[in-house]
Amino acid sequence: MAEAVGGGRGKVFRVESGVVRRAKIWRAEVVLRVLEVALCLVSISVMAADKTSGWAGDYFDRYQEYRYCFSVNVISFAYSTLQVFSHIHYMIWKRHVISIPLSYSFDFLLDQVLAYLLMSASSSAAARIDDWTSMFGSDMFTNMLIGSIAASFAAFLAFAISSIISAFKLFSLNP
């Protein structure tokens, strides 16, 4: 990738090496993985803590859509945590946990699958919230669920960007 430096006729072109590009991609991937862990953990925590007391005490576990969203976030959290540990392992020992070609395919496949599952689960839960608030109004139970679903949608965005990076790694950096 060439980049123009300076102005006018005396432009100097600087070429970014493949090593620099890989380092930038690797850093972006690590940041996204940590973000995925954090967002999934927030979504799980808020949804699990969402209980109301009183005669109409509600709990997310009563509703299929919320259980689906919770389960997909748990799976996504586990996968992202393993990815973070894999990156830490590489930083310490300079060895990959899984061989490179297989790792790129594995990352691409799971990033795609989990991104679609997060979008599906978040959309399903959001539709249920919309029905609930249109019939009964908003309360603390629905507000906490909205926060959890928002974190789940944000996790989807992080997974979508990670899947773009993993696709780039699979199709262009694969030796």
Side-chain angles (χ1 to χ4, degrees):
M1 169 185 291
E3 176 182 327
V5 179
R9 291 186 160 177
K11 284 188 181 179
V12 177
F13 286 92
R14 190 173 51 195
V15 177
E16 184 179 79
S17 71
V19 174
V20 172
R21 185 179 319 136
R22 284 181 192 216
K24 286 181 180 179
I25 290 170
W26 190 81
R27 265 187 262 131
E29 186 178 19
V30 170
V31 168
L32 281 169
R33 296 296 180 192
V34 171
L35 185 63
E36 291 165 4
V37 168
L39 289 169
C40 288
L41 185 61
V42 166
S43 180
I44 291 166
S45 301
V46 171
M47 192 170 288
D50 195 10
K51 289 183 180 180
T52 57
S53 58
W55 67 271
D58 244 342
Y59 187 58
F60 83 93
D61 200 28
R62 286 182 165 178
Y63 305 97
Q64 182 176 0
E65 297 87 356
Y66 306 143
R67 286 193 311 257
Y68 174 44
C69 188
F70 183 81
S71 301
V72 169
N73 275 290
V74 167
I75 293 167
S76 300
F77 171 76
Y79 168 72
S80 296
T81 303
L82 288 174
Q83 286 288 344
V84 168
F85 283 129
S86 173
H87 286 294
I88 291 170
H89 180 272
Y90 180 76
M91 284 189 325
I92 294 171
W93 288 289
K94 299 294 183 210
R95 286 189 321 219
H96 293 281
V97 176
I98 303 174
S99 67
I100 291 295
L102 182 61
S103 172
Y104 288 170
S105 300
F106 179 76
D107 293 350
F108 177 68
L109 175 70
L110 283 178
D111 285 343
Q112 290 281 316
V113 168
L114 290 175
Y116 286 120
L117 281 174
L118 276 168
M119 177 53 103
S120 169
S122 301
S123 299
S124 171
R128 176 69 177 180
I129 284 288
D130 185 50
D131 290 344
W132 186 273
T133 55
S134 66
M135 289 188 296
F136 304 113
S138 182
D139 61 356
M140 187 57 141
F141 178 72
T142 57
N143 290 340
M144 286 182 71
L145 283 172
I146 288 170
S148 176
I149 293 166
S152 185
F153 270 119
F156 156 73
L157 291 174
F159 268 96
I161 296 168
S162 288
S163 69
I164 292 169
I165 290 173
S166 61
F168 175 76
K169 285 174 31 180
L170 178 65
F171 297 117
S172 67
L173 297 180
N174 201 358

